């Protein structure tokens, strides 16, 4: 449990936490938007299938009603005598008023070869140009060839629109002949396959519905193919019946195919229906098996076009995605502001603690100096002259005054809320700082008999920085040099200039440091304590604060040290 809490805390304070939160929020937004997109897609698919099913039911009903009306027309031909042409036209027009899907209604008698002349002559009394016709290889209408039987279009309504089909021998065309012969032999109505209608030039795809009429036999109720009179035929143009069936207002962006399903020509496309011009389709496909009609099994296959899906698609998934991204960004921004503020407060508290540590360090340093002076006096009190004792007491007074000044500054800075430790830069001479440092440490330098020197290799001694921070930093470094240099040792301070940078070097001949000590010299979390050469105490905080003060003033510090030979600090500012 503690390990998990530690891991979570480490993650929150990691620099990767905010990007991770943003990525998680983005992924969640994408997942939610995609889920809604999939849900919407399913809704569109259901709507698409419902539209197709409704249209298929309407198309089947339209075919069924039209086929039923053929039985009404067939009643005219069940009498012994053939009805007149006018009577056929009157009944046909009545049927077509009720059923607009018929392209034409026809009566096609079964004519033996020996009867062809009589049929043509009888009809020529009303229609002088009437004759049995067929199409040649050039698709032109010509006289029908001699054959064993004829099935001419004898009555037709409407006449003007279908005059090219008037007299056309259905036995001359393979698909028509095959269907009507099957109907004759089986004694039941049948629908032909897809044929090119003779009377249509544009979109000629259609089919014929054959209703066979037989002579009634008083002695035998069983039908015989030989008793065939002819056929009542309904001519259907697929485009026309599709338009009549579209009372459900199916979307114009749905492509529909009528497919003939039989053993001879499997999945033979009879007609393709689409209101719009676009033929690009993808996405959804739906198939509806129409009930069998007069020996035909048709399949209605529908495809959704790109335009159909685009029209049904909403902008909700995109809105969800954008909202999610905005919400995540705002949350991350709010968290970042909170985290940054919290970090600033943490850093401020740490800086205050470090500042107080610095003050205590200076106070301890001063008291430590007093302690050293007193120890040295006690060790050889009788050996000091009055003049030397006077100098020592003077040093003790200076240290006491320095501690008092430090405490006064602490009280003053606290009142003025200057613990945020923002550098207040100004132009000042570095010589002032070293004069102050030399005077401050002179008693301990004298007592330890140190060779202390300050050398300026440049006339330009002015720098732009926070004077108090630089003074505190240099005093800490010099304090450490004195502390870790044995009696009679040497401390050299030198000021050089390179381009716009001043280079301060503080070098001692003290105890030095190994690589491990050098590596953790400025680390705040790994403080180390090391007594001075005459037992001076150490808090391990001075150089850490020194490094931060120098960083605040854009100063770079380098340290070189060898155990037993000394240490050199090089500061570029």
């Amino acid at each position: 449990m503690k390990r998990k809490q530690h891991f979570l805390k480490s993650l929150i304070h990691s620099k990767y936490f905010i990007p991770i939160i943003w990525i998680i929020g983005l992924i969640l937004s994408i997942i939610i938007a995609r889920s809604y997109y999939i849900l919407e897609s399913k809704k569109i698919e259901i709507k698409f299938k419902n539209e197709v099913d409704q249209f298929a039911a309407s198309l089947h009903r339209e075919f069924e009603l039209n086929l039923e009306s053929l039985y009404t027309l067939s009643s005219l031909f069940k009498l012994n005598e053939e009805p007149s042409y006018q009577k056929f036209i009157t009944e046909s027009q009545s049927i077509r008023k009720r059923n607009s899907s018929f392209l034409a209604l026809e009566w096609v008698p079964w004519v033996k070869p020996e009867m062809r002349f009589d049929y043509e002559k009888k009809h020529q009394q009303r229609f002088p140009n009437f004759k049995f016709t067929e199409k040649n290889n050039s698709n032109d209408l010509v006289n029908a060839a001699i054959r064993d039987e004829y099935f001419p279009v004898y009555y037709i309504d409407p006449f003007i629109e279908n005059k090219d089909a008037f007299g056309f021998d259905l036995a001359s065309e393979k698909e028509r002949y095959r269907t009507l012969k099957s109907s004759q032999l089986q004694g039941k109505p049948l629908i032909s396959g897809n044929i090119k209608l003779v009377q249509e030039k544009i979109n000629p795809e259609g089919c014929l519905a054959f209703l066979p009429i037989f002579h009634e036999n008083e002695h035998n109720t069983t039908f015989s193919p030989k008793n065939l009179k002819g056929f009542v035929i309904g001519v259907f143009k697929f485009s026309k019946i599709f338009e009549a069936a579209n009372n459900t207002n199916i979307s114009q962006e749905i492509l529909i195919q009528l497919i003939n399903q039989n053993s001879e020509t499997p999945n033979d496309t009879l007609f393709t229906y689409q209101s719009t011009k676009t033929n690009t389709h993808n996405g959804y496909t739906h198939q509806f098996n129409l009930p069998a009609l007069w020996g035909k099994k048709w399949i209605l296959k529908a495809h959704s076009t790109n335009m159909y899906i685009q029209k049904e698609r909403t902008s909700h998934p995109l809105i969800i995605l954008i909202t999610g991204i905005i919400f995540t960004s705002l949350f991350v921004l709010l968290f970042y502001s909170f985290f940054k503020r919290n970090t600033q407060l943490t850093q401020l508290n740490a800086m205050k603690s470090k500042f107080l540590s610095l003050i205590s360090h200076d106070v301890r340093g001063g008291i430590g100096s007093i302690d050293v002076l007193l120890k040295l006096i006690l060790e050889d009190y009788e050996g000091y002259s009055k003049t030397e004792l006077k100098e020592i007491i003077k040093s003790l007074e200076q240290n006491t005054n320095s501690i008092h000044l430090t405490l006064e500054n602490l009280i003053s800075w606290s009142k003025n809320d200057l613990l945020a430790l923002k550098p207040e830069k100004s132009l000042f001479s570095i010589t002032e700082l070293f004069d102050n440092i030399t005077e401050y440490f002179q008693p301990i330098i004298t007592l330890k008999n140190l060779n202390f020197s300050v050398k300026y290799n440049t006339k330009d001694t002015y720098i732009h920085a926070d004077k108090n921070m630089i003074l505190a930093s240099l005093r800490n470094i010099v304090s450490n040099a004195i502390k870790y240099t044995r009696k009679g040792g040497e401390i050299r301070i030198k000021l050089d200039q390179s381009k716009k940078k001043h280079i301060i070097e503080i070098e001692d001949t003290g105890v030095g440091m190994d690589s491990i000590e050098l590596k953790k010299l400025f680390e705040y979390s790994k403080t180390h304590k090391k007594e001075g050469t005459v037992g001076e105490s150490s808090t391990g905080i001075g150089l850490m604060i020194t490094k931060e003060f120098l960083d605040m003033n854009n100063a770079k510090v380098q340290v070189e040290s060898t155990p037993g030979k000394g240490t050199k600090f090089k500061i570029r500012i």
Side-chain angles (χ1 to χ4, degrees):
M1 188 67 181
K2 289 183 179 179
R3 188 176 294 177
K4 288 183 179 179
Q5 290 176 349
H6 176 72
F7 173 75
L8 189 60
K9 189 175 180 181
S10 300
L11 180 62
I12 290 173
H13 288 87
S14 169
K15 64 180 179 179
Y16 302 109
F17 183 68
I18 289 175
I20 287 171
I21 288 293
W22 196 89
I23 291 169
I24 290 172
L26 178 63
I27 291 171
L28 286 175
S29 300
I30 293 172
I31 289 172
I32 294 170
R34 179 165 175 75
S35 298
Y36 191 92
Y37 182 88
I38 292 171
L39 186 66
E40 187 177 74
S41 298
K42 289 181 179 178
K43 185 179 177 182
I44 295 172
E45 185 178 9
I46 291 170
K47 183 178 183 294
F48 164 73
K49 289 181 178 179
N50 287 338
E51 282 191 59
V52 174
D53 288 347
Q54 289 176 15
F55 179 79
S58 177
L59 183 67
H60 176 74
R61 187 164 53 251
E62 186 70 22
F63 262 115
E64 203 170 36
L65 289 173
N66 281 277
L67 294 175
E68 287 296 323
S69 64
L70 290 180
Y71 284 103
T72 303
L73 187 60
S74 69
S75 61
L76 295 177
F77 297 93
K78 289 185 178 180
L79 302 174
N80 290 329
E81 292 185 4
E82 191 175 84
S84 66
Y85 184 82
Q86 189 56 49
K87 196 170 183 179
F88 172 84
I89 295 297
T90 302
E91 186 63 32
S92 173
Q93 288 177 349
S94 174
I95 291 170
R96 287 194 304 106
K97 273 186 182 180
R98 299 191 302 271
N99 303 279
S100 60
S101 298
F102 284 115
L103 185 64
L105 290 171
E106 301 173 355
W107 164 246
V108 176
W110 183 28
V111 179
K112 302 289 179 64
E114 61 271 18
M115 298 296 294
R116 172 178 174 174
F117 177 76
D118 292 335
Y119 266 86
E120 287 181 333
K121 186 176 181 181
K122 182 180 178 182
H123 233 27
Q124 285 171 359
Q125 293 175 5
R126 184 167 184 174
F127 304 99
N129 296 323
F130 178 79
K131 58 185 176 180
F132 290 9
T133 61
E134 63 182 33
K135 281 191 174 184
N136 63 10
N137 294 333
S138 301
N139 214 31
D140 298 323
L141 288 172
V142 296
N143 283 332
I146 297 172
R147 52 178 57 92
D148 294 337
E149 55 185 351
Y150 300 95
F151 291 93
V153 178
Y154 204 60
Y155 293 166
I156 189 167
D157 176 57
F159 177 79
I160 295 175
E161 293 87 339
N162 298 281
K163 60 183 179 179
D164 288 343
F166 191 48
F168 183 75
D169 180 19
L170 302 187
S172 66
E173 200 275 323
K174 185 178 179 180
E175 177 60 28
R176 292 171 172 82
Y177 185 61
R178 184 184 66 79
T179 306
L180 65 84
K181 288 304 290 183
S182 295
S183 177
Q184 177 186 4
L185 294 173
Q186 296 176 36
K188 61 182 182 181
L190 294 176
I191 296 176
S192 72
N194 186 20
I195 61 172
K196 304 292 183 183
L197 300 174
V198 176
Q199 60 270 49
E200 289 296 304
K201 307 300 181 187
I202 301 172
N203 295 328
E205 297 89 351
C207 65
L208 303 179
F210 295 92
L211 179 60
I213 307 296
F214 294 92
H215 291 285
E216 293 183 356
N217 190 338
E218 296 180 1
H219 304 289
N220 190 358
T221 56
T222 305
F223 94 94
S224 172
K226 295 180 180 180
N227 293 332
L228 180 70
K229 278 187 178 182
F231 293 90
V232 171
I233 296 178
V235 181
F236 297 100
K237 185 179 180 182
F238 287 128
S239 60
K240 193 171 183 179
I241 198 166
F242 267 68
E243 288 170 5
N246 192 15
N247 53 17
T248 59
N249 295 319
I250 192 170
S251 174
Q252 296 182 346
E253 286 78 34
I254 295 178
L255 183 142
I256 300 174
Q257 293 176 310
L258 185 65
I259 299 172
N260 183 27
Q261 188 183 42
N262 55 58
S263 57
E264 292 87 3
T265 54
N267 295 332
D268 177 28
T269 301
L270 303 177
F271 180 68
T272 300
Y273 174 75
Q274 187 176 20
S275 299
T276 55
K277 292 181 180 180
T278 176
N279 290 319
T280 306
H281 62 84
N282 65 3
Y284 310 121
T285 300
H286 183 51
Q287 185 171 297
F288 188 96
N289 295 326
L290 295 169
L293 281 171
W294 285 19
K296 281 294 174 187
K297 291 183 179 180
W298 287 331
I299 296 172
L300 200 69
K301 196 170 185 179
H303 308 273
S304 63
T305 63
N306 291 329
M307 194 177 294
Y308 176 84
I309 296 175
Q310 289 172 8
K311 279 189 174 182
E312 296 294 329
R313 184 75 67 191
T314 67
S315 58
H316 295 159
L318 182 60
I319 292 172
I320 290 171
L321 179 61
I322 293 172
T323 303
I325 292 172
I326 292 173
F327 177 80
T328 301
S329 300
L330 289 174
F331 175 78
V332 168
L333 186 62
L334 183 64
F335 182 85
Y336 175 74
S337 300
F338 172 78
F339 182 77
K340 188 176 181 181
R341 179 61 178 165
N342 186 56
T343 303
Q344 288 174 343
L345 290 173
T346 303
Q347 290 175 346
L348 181 60
N349 287 331
M351 290 299 292
K352 287 180 179 179
S353 298
K354 291 178 185 179
F355 183 76
L356 291 173
S357 297
L358 174 63
I359 298 298
S360 65
H361 178 268
D362 283 351
V363 172
R364 283 174 181 168
I367 293 173
S369 297
I370 294 171
D371 183 56
V372 170
L373 289 170
L374 291 173
K375 281 181 180 179
L376 291 172
I377 293 170
L378 290 173
E379 284 177 2
D380 190 17
Y381 177 77
E382 298 293 338
Y384 290 102
S385 63
K386 287 184 180 181
T387 304
E388 288 174 332
L389 287 173
K390 189 177 179 180
E391 288 295 326
I392 292 172
I393 291 169
K394 186 179 179 181
S395 296
L396 290 173
E397 183 187 13
Q398 288 176 348
N399 281 331
T400 304
N401 289 334
S402 176
I403 293 169
H404 181 264
L405 179 62
T406 300
L407 293 175
E408 286 293 330
N409 286 336
L410 172 61
I411 295 168
S412 176
W413 289 336
S414 298
K415 286 180 180 178
N416 291 289
D417 196 27
L418 292 177
L419 293 180
L421 295 179
K422 293 181 180 177
E424 295 182 3
K425 297 182 178 182
S426 62
L427 194 65
F428 61 92
S429 176
I430 197 72
T431 59
E432 296 177 29
L433 303 187
F434 285 124
D435 289 344
N436 180 293
I437 291 168
T438 303
E439 183 180 356
Y440 183 81
F441 289 110
Q442 189 59 52
I444 193 68
I445 292 170
T446 302
L447 287 172
K448 292 190 79 171
N449 194 25
L450 300 175
N451 183 8
F452 190 90
S453 63
V454 179
K455 187 177 182 182
Y456 304 109
N457 295 328
T458 174
K459 293 180 180 180
D460 181 12
T461 61
Y462 283 86
I463 63 172
H464 187 261
D466 187 301
K467 185 176 180 179
N468 290 325
M469 287 186 176
I470 299 301
L471 175 60
S473 300
L474 294 176
R475 198 161 63 181
N476 269 326
I477 295 171
V478 173
S479 174
N480 279 332
I482 294 171
K483 187 185 299 182
Y484 297 112
T485 301
R486 296 182 181 87
K487 290 181 180 182
E490 186 178 359
I491 297 174
R492 296 181 296 273
I493 298 175
K494 187 169 62 172
L495 177 66
D496 289 315
Q497 189 174 16
S498 174
K499 296 181 180 179
K500 293 184 179 181
K501 296 283 186 181
H502 282 87
I503 302 170
I504 302 170
E505 289 185 3
I506 302 172
E507 186 176 4
D508 63 61
T509 58
V511 296
M513 293 175 285
D514 58 26
S515 58
I516 296 174
E517 289 177 303
L518 198 60
K519 196 174 289 186
K520 62 182 181 179
L521 189 62
F522 298 116
E523 292 182 8
Y524 179 71
S525 59
K526 297 180 179 179
T527 60
H528 58 284
K529 298 181 181 181
K530 186 176 181 180
E531 287 188 349
T533 57
V534 290
E536 298 99 322
S537 62
S538 171
T539 62
I541 194 74
L543 288 178
M544 299 171 201
I545 298 172
T546 295
K547 177 70 165 60
E548 293 196 12
F549 279 2
L550 292 173
D551 288 343
M552 287 181 187
N553 288 273
N554 300 318
K556 304 298 180 184
V557 60
Q558 289 178 305
V559 185
E560 298 173 4
S561 186
T562 304
K565 292 186 178 181
T567 302
K568 181 166 73 173
F569 282 78
K570 184 182 285 188
I571 302 166
R572 295 178 182 273
I573 188 169

